[in-house]
Amino acid sequence: MYDILIKNGEIIDGTGRPRVRMDLALRKDTIVEMGTAIQGHATATIDAAGSIVSPGFIDMHSHADFSLPAGPADSLTCQGVTTAVIGQCGETPAPLLSDTRSAVIGNYQTQGGALPWDRWSDFGSYLNYLKESGLTMNIVSLAGQGTIRAGVMGYSAKAATPDQITAMQAQVEKVMESGAFGISTGLIYPPGSYATTEELIEVVRPVTAYNGYYFSHIRGEDHALLDAVAEAIRIGRETGARVQISHHKVCWPRNWDIQEKALALIDDAIAEGMDVSADVYPYVAASTGLSNNLPDWAHEGGKPAILERLSDPDTRRQMISDMRNDWDGSWEKVMISRCPTQPEFEGRFISELALSTGQEPEVFVFDALLSADLNISVVLFLISENNLQQVMSHPAVMIGSDSYGFTMDGREQMGLPHPRSFGTFPRVLGRYVRDLGVIPLETAVHKMTGLAAQKMGLTDRGRIASGLKADLVVFDPALISDPATFENPFQPPTGVRHVICNGEFVVHDGYLQQHLPGRIIKNSTASRY
Ligand SMILES: [Zn+2]
């Protein structure tokens, strides 16, 4: 007797090997049998004829740590994501240290939805809260270097003292002991960005005792790309941490031609024997908080200090001059995607909004940020389609959504989030595999499953084989697609028939289920939980 029998599907096992027609039998959370024409009874039998059966997708870059405490990540589950690597870009809801707790919470008020911040303090209590609140997917976690630096040093732009470095290292060790897989940085986001390379090396060093990871939103994705990739690789080389370069891209047309050199740096590091890889989302637009367009120095002291600078005419002039000098971009390509205080801005471009008020774009931005209490997100159309396809085709590149998890009725609260939140995985399989033929289906599935599991050391997931965990997606390769658009993102994918996590349906016949089979996966070398 089986719990679930999946018959007649084309199995793509996640290793990159070609598909085979095979049945799968599941008992509890495990794949117990694979074979042609498995006999026997099951509580549920699925006829998967015409469908692909693949391992559950592993989202290598998720910001759902800022949304999961408030509710399920339906937008990821309905794409087929059964494991999410959360805690990216240096910014995480934990650990919170008592002296700086309220400042850090205040600074993260613009991330995701409203969170029950009083329910955790250190990283372990945060993970416990996630587990208690119930999960539709498995969680692999990283802790943010920005959060740790803010915890120890506040929003100071100064260099860390030796004592402060020791205090940050102690925090890193503590999060690793709680089960984190490593540390992430977001080196365009203050206060994490105030750290020098040398400081980062010291702070990342403790992860290597845990065979841990260094994930980085690198210091520059524009003209500074090559130095930024080299810095991430150096940190890996000097600490021994395994490196992941997050959402690999190069921003703005004038920089597009340097991408090949960036990928060559990764190839060289791999040839040297290092563990360096990257992830990508399948869109030509990025998304971030509008306040990130302000100069780095304008963030010192955290949110109250930023708001004060935005109100001061002299500081405004200095910010405008620095922004014009440093930025490769164009306001015509920057669309407001979320502005709870002025939702009429959502879906409109900054250049157009500034024109309608007769302001310089920067002045419009300052006024808008002030009146929104900094709570404005933007989508920026700055990536080349050719580059995107080149990154996606690279053998060391996996797939990451770079998204929060949303419930499908979240439009009112969340504005127009980047459609990657709803369509990343189906878009790779539909647009890039089936429609454009950029990579074969087996390769795409490998990037979403086996390759990601191998990177994270998840030996019992990411592949289909007898004895492994039953995380599975059944999808129709002819129908899979991503209807979510920039104008109308809250749309589930089509063609995803079933999603099974730890042997339980989280999507059945295209419908989200109420089950919560997800688990917190802890770094297996942590000595105590
Ligand atoms: Zn990022």
Side-chain angles (χ1 to χ4, degrees):
M1 181 80 182
Y2 303 114
D3 290 321
I4 300 175
L5 191 54
I6 304 172
K7 294 188 77 74
N8 308 319
E10 301 278 336
I11 310 276
I12 294 183
D13 70 0
T15 62
R17 279 200 291 265
R19 67 198 83 177
V20 285
R21 167 77 58 92
M22 199 98 84
D23 296 348
L24 280 185
L26 317 182
R27 200 176 289 130
K28 295 208 168 83
D29 65 354
T30 303
I31 301 167
V32 292
E33 210 178 319
M34 286 179 73
T36 47
I38 296 177
Q39 299 302 317
H41 291 285
T43 311
T45 300
I46 292 169
D47 181 6
S51 288
I52 300 291
V53 183
S54 84
F57 303 146
I58 298 174
D59 185 347
M60 282 298 280
H61 192 91
S62 169
H63 289 286
D65 40 331
F66 280 100
S67 61
L68 285 169
D74 292 345
S75 53
L76 291 170
T77 299
C78 64
Q79 295 181 49
V81 172
T82 56
T83 299
V85 183
I86 64 169
Q88 306 281 350
C89 300
E91 304 191 327
T92 47
L96 298 170
L97 280 65
S98 51
D99 285 355
T100 43
R101 181 185 176 97
S102 61
V104 171
I105 293 172
N107 229 55
Y108 286 150
Q109 238 32 294
T110 56
Q111 301 260 22
L115 298 190
W117 290 97
D118 57 330
R119 301 300 297 272
W120 62 84
S121 50
D122 60 7
F123 203 75
S125 59
Y126 170 76
L127 290 180
N128 281 340
Y129 181 72
L130 285 190
K131 188 172 148 194
E132 280 163 23
S133 49
L135 294 161
T136 59
M137 65 192 62
N138 304 309
I139 294 299
V140 167
S141 62
L142 307 163
Q145 168 266 344
T147 301
I148 290 173
R149 195 180 204 269
V152 169
M153 303 176 54
Y155 289 85
S156 162
K158 293 205 182 79
T161 64
D163 281 354
Q164 286 169 330
I165 287 181
T166 306
M168 288 189 273
Q169 287 175 325
Q171 288 301 321
V172 170
E173 220 158 280
K174 202 170 162 206
V175 303
M176 296 304 288
E177 284 293 322
S178 312
F181 278 65
I183 295 299
S184 74
T185 57
L187 299 178
I188 64 159
Y189 301 126
S193 59
Y194 297 138
T196 61
T197 311
E198 289 71 22
E199 177 184 324
L200 292 173
I201 288 170
E202 292 315 314
V203 171
V204 170
R205 208 182 284 288
V207 310
T208 47
Y210 301 86
N211 203 11
Y213 297 81
Y214 174 65
F215 274 57
S216 186
H217 176 155
I218 56 179
R219 212 179 279 276
E221 295 178 323
D222 46 21
H223 58 270
L225 178 72
L226 298 180
D227 286 345
V229 171
E231 181 188 36
I233 292 172
R234 181 184 159 202
I235 291 166
R237 184 184 294 117
E238 295 198 18
T239 60
R242 300 193 258 176
V243 177
Q244 179 82 351
I245 293 171
S246 298
H247 42 60
H248 196 294
K249 64 171 104 51
V250 56
C251 301
W252 303 114
R254 71 175 71 167
N255 305 311
W256 283 349
D257 62 350
I258 59 179
Q259 174 169 280
E260 235 170 305
K261 290 185 186 142
L263 292 174
L265 290 176
I266 295 175
D267 290 333
D268 291 348
I270 294 169
E272 196 187 303
M274 288 181 64
D275 182 348
V276 179
S277 50
D279 50 76
V280 71
Y281 50 76
Y283 295 87
V284 294
S287 178
T288 190
L290 179 58
S291 63
N292 294 312
N293 273 81
L294 303 177
D296 231 28
W297 56 263
H299 293 258
E300 183 167 16
K303 190 170 163 184
I306 300 172
L307 292 171
E308 208 177 299
R309 287 187 188 99
L310 286 170
S311 324
D312 177 61
D314 286 340
T315 317
R316 280 185 170 217
R317 273 191 288 277
Q318 188 57 50
M319 287 197 284
I320 292 176
S321 140
D322 285 10
M323 286 159 76
R324 289 188 179 168
N325 282 334
D326 289 353
W327 194 42
D328 299 335
S330 147
W331 295 110
E332 282 157 38
K333 302 286 183 189
V334 184
M335 186 188 93
I336 292 182
S337 57
R338 181 180 179 220
C339 182
T341 51
Q342 276 161 297
E344 67 275 16
F345 289 168
E346 290 171 2
R348 299 184 66 192
F349 287 83
I350 303 261
S351 52
E352 166 209 343
L353 287 163
L355 203 64
S356 72
T357 58
Q359 289 170 303
E360 293 288 311
E362 293 86 352
V363 174
F364 172 82
V365 165
F366 299 157
D367 285 352
L369 283 171
L370 262 179
S371 69
D373 206 30
L374 305 185
N375 194 0
I376 300 180
S377 302
V378 288
V379 161
L380 308 94
F381 294 85
L382 42 62
I383 300 166
S384 126
E385 177 69 44
N386 282 342
N387 279 357
L388 166 59
Q389 295 184 15
Q390 185 186 46
V391 176
M392 192 184 290
S393 308
H394 190 282
V397 172
M398 302 150 208
I399 307 299
S401 72
D402 197 2
S403 73
Y404 302 112
F406 297 103
T407 53
M408 297 310 288
D409 55 5
R411 163 75 181 94
E412 206 157 301
Q413 195 200 352
M414 300 312 295
L416 300 172
H418 193 301
R420 65 194 182 195
S421 302
F422 306 88
T424 289
F425 291 84
R427 185 174 174 84
V428 171
L429 298 171
R431 174 176 164 82
Y432 288 97
V433 171
R434 182 192 56 231
D435 300 344
L436 299 178
V438 175
I439 46 176
L441 182 54
E442 284 81 353
T443 305
V445 168
H446 176 58
K447 288 170 176 289
M448 295 171 176
T449 62
L451 185 62
Q454 190 187 327
K455 174 79 186 186
M456 301 314 295
L458 308 177
T459 52
D460 56 353
R461 298 181 194 274
R463 287 175 295 128
I464 296 180
S466 209
L468 300 192
K469 293 286 181 245
D471 291 348
L472 299 164
V473 186
V474 180
F475 64 90
D476 185 330
L479 294 182
I480 195 156
S481 72
D482 59 310
T485 59
F486 291 95
E487 298 74 30
N488 187 9
F490 279 86
Q491 299 191 69
T494 56
V496 179
R497 295 182 56 203
H498 308 282
V499 183
I500 295 169
C501 178
N502 292 315
E504 288 189 49
F505 286 103
V506 286
V507 173
H508 189 269
D509 271 333
Y511 290 97
L512 285 160
Q513 305 295 297
Q514 300 303 317
H515 301 146
L516 299 168
R519 295 175 191 167
I520 305 287
I521 301 175
K522 295 189 172 181
N523 146 34
S524 59
T525 53
S527 56
R528 61 170 190 275
Y529 293 151

